[in-house]
Amino acid sequence: MKALIFAAGKGTRLKPFTDHHPKALAVVNGVPLLERNIKYLQSFGINDFVINVHHFGEQIIDFLKKNDNFGAKIEISDERKELLETGGGLVFAKKFLDFDENFLIMNADILTDLDLNYFVNYHSEKKDFATLAVSDRKSSRKLLFNEQMVLKGWLNVETGEQRLAEFNKDFKSLAFSGIHCVNPEIFKKIKRTGKFSIMEEYLDLMGTETIYGYEHSAKLIDVGKPEAISAAEKLFK
């Protein structure tokens, strides 16, 4: 499988580090997030990567060269001219991914020990075009699933705002883990162009398409804020 790692974001929540560095190179116990995630994916036999870059993108490119790409095949999806967000970034990277094979998408600032073998097998069994890893943890925004774990809505926990595909029949609210297993069919489904969030596209598509959630209880932390680094260092040595 290939894996697309989203490493282009500005990481504004991780200031002051991101005033001079990309968030993907933030360090947890002496190891940059990007290196941790490349090695995490390699531990499941994935050694073929696409990494998108924008904010201090040259630092990521130099870091990979300095480390001989960690023995992996790595292609750079260069968004340094314009940051396209997750959806636009996925479409921009299409030429690296559209080969009739499932691929993984992962945010560079997520650390987890999720067993990807189970996740990928679940996606293959469901035969959908996108499966989202989710867990029951604290988050300001939740995805809503029916009993069959089909995506049916989105909830802003703080404001109560909702987007629903149908009437809320005791939907289960779970937090997105920043990891997707996707089939290239997704490129035929996406309607937006330019700069957009892939989650907005999923929420549009849930009314007509079947998008499954994969609930897990693995360790997971979003290293998006400075205080999250110390929390991550307790979880990931």
Side-chain angles (χ1 to χ4, degrees):
M1 292 187 83
K2 278 195 174 189
L4 168 61
I5 301 178
F6 285 137
K10 293 182 178 178
T12 51
R13 296 180 301 150
L14 203 52
K15 285 175 174 284
F17 178 82
T18 48
D19 287 336
H20 304 285
H21 308 280
K23 67 177 178 179
L25 296 186
V27 172
V28 171
N29 284 327
V31 184
L33 294 173
L34 183 59
E35 178 178 345
R36 282 181 173 273
N37 279 325
I38 288 172
K39 290 180 176 177
Y40 161 69
L41 291 161
Q42 285 176 324
S43 74
F44 291 95
I46 295 167
N47 207 40
D48 197 346
F49 299 91
V50 181
I51 299 174
N52 76 341
V53 299
H54 172 81
H55 187 62
F56 293 110
E58 63 284 352
Q59 290 187 29
I60 291 176
I61 293 167
D62 291 346
F63 172 74
L64 293 169
K65 283 182 182 174
K66 181 182 173 184
N67 289 282
D68 296 319
N69 285 351
F70 299 98
K73 178 187 176 185
I74 297 179
E75 294 163 303
I76 298 296
S77 186
D78 193 341
E79 296 177 32
R80 282 179 288 181
K81 287 184 179 178
E82 183 185 10
L83 180 61
L84 296 169
E85 296 187 24
T86 52
L90 171 59
V91 172
F92 191 72
K94 178 182 176 181
K95 63 180 178 287
F96 301 118
L97 300 164
D98 194 5
F99 299 110
D100 199 32
E101 289 182 349
N102 292 327
F103 58 91
L104 284 166
I105 303 174
M106 182 173 188
N107 296 348
D109 56 356
I110 291 290
L111 291 182
T112 185
D113 64 354
L114 171 66
D115 189 320
L116 291 176
N117 291 328
Y118 287 113
F119 179 46
V120 171
N121 287 340
Y122 177 90
H123 171 78
S124 298
E125 288 167 8
K126 295 300 182 186
K127 294 181 169 61
D128 58 349
F129 71 92
T131 303
L132 314 181
V134 290
S135 63
D136 186 8
R137 66 183 196 280
K138 187 176 179 182
S139 176
S140 61
R141 290 169 177 82
K142 296 283 186 84
L143 296 177
L144 306 176
F145 297 89
N146 67 10
E147 290 181 355
Q148 289 74 43
M149 284 301 292
V150 175
L151 180 65
K152 292 296 179 183
W154 171 90
L155 170 68
N156 184 319
V157 175
E158 294 169 355
T159 66
E161 179 191 356
Q162 292 186 60
R163 281 187 63 180
L164 297 171
E166 59 188 55
F167 180 74
N168 190 339
K169 308 182 189 77
D170 296 319
F171 292 150
K172 189 170 191 177
S173 63
L174 297 162
F176 179 46
S177 299
I179 305 172
H180 340 210
C181 192
V182 176
N183 186 280
E185 281 290 311
I186 195 170
F187 294 117
K188 298 175 184 174
K189 312 282 187 186
I190 291 173
K191 303 292 190 295
R192 288 177 172 81
T193 58
K195 181 177 179 178
F196 64 96
S197 162
I198 190 60
M199 190 53 68
E200 287 297 313
E201 197 71 28
Y202 287 150
L203 295 177
D204 281 355
L205 288 167
M206 69 182 175
T208 55
E209 304 283 348
T210 302
I211 301 169
Y212 282 93
Y214 173 80
E215 187 176 3
H216 67 88
S217 56
K219 287 192 294 187
L220 186 139
I221 188 163
D222 174 359
V223 192
K225 297 179 181 178
E227 59 267 27
I229 290 178
S230 58
E233 288 183 332
K234 293 171 186 171
L235 287 173
F236 297 91
K237 300 303 180 187

